[in-house]
Amino acid sequence: MSQGLIHHIEINVSNLKNTIHFWGWFLEELGYQTYQEWESGRSWKIDDTYIVFVQTNEKFMDIAYHRSRVGLNHLAFHASSRQQVDGITKQLEEKGVPILYANKHPFGGGEEHYAVYFEDPDRIKVELVAP
C-alpha cells in the first residue's frame, strides 16, 4: 500500500542546468531514472516516487535559499551500504563538492549514523545514509 508515502517532491532552483548536472548523476547512482523533461524542469523517478526540479521565475530570485530559514532543511536518501556511501563520497570529492562535517565524516550524525552530507548548487543539504 502506498498510502502516506511521498508521491513527489518539487524544488524550485536558481539554475536548472547546474541542478541537472549536479543531481542527475547522484540520483541515477541511487537507481532513479529520468522521468520528465521540459524547458523549465526535469524530474527523476524511483518506484512510485519522483523528484522534480523547476527553474525559479526571475521575479522570485531576489532572496536566496537557506536551510536555516522556514522551509526545507535537507533531503536524506537511503544508501544500499556503507560502501555506497564511501563511493558517493569519493565521487563528490572528485567533483569538487565539499563534504559537510568533514572533521566527523562519516559519523557527522553520530557514532551510529554512517552518512555523507553535502550541498547542491542552491545549498540544499543532502544526506546519504547507510543502513
Side-chain angles (χ1 to χ4, degrees):
M1 173 183 252
S2 60
Q3 179 178 316
L5 296 178
I6 291 176
H7 185 272
H8 70 276
I9 297 169
E10 185 168 321
I11 300 172
N12 293 330
V13 299
S14 64
N15 184 308
L16 183 61
K17 182 179 176 183
N18 289 345
T19 296
I20 290 169
H21 178 74
F22 182 88
W23 281 95
W25 74 270
F26 175 69
L27 292 172
E28 289 166 14
E29 285 283 331
L30 298 181
Y32 285 75
Q33 296 180 353
T34 299
Y35 179 49
Q36 301 160 315
E37 296 180 61
W38 66 102
E39 184 179 338
S40 61
R42 171 90 49 100
S43 68
W44 284 266
K45 185 173 184 174
I46 189 168
D47 297 328
D48 292 328
T49 301
Y50 60 100
I51 300 175
V52 184
F53 299 95
V54 178
Q55 177 63 53
T56 299
N57 186 299
E58 189 68 36
K59 69 181 180 180
F60 297 113
M61 298 270 286
D62 57 334
I63 300 175
Y65 167 84
H66 195 285
R67 68 178 178 265
S68 293
R69 291 190 178 110
V70 172
L72 178 72
N73 179 272
H74 70 281
L75 294 171
F77 296 85
H78 289 281
S80 61
S81 64
R82 287 184 172 202
Q83 291 77 19
Q84 186 179 33
V85 170
D86 295 342
I88 294 288
T89 301
K90 183 177 179 184
Q91 289 181 64
L92 289 164
E93 291 170 338
E94 289 170 355
K95 293 174 180 296
V97 177
I99 304 303
L100 300 176
Y101 323 118
N103 61 328
K104 298 178 184 178
H105 176 76
F107 298 104
E111 292 181 18
E112 302 295 321
H113 193 77
Y114 198 96
V116 61
Y117 299 85
F118 53 100
E119 292 178 329
D120 85 343
D122 285 310
R123 300 203 59 211
I124 295 173
K125 185 167 75 171
V126 183
E127 177 181 358
L128 180 63
V129 185

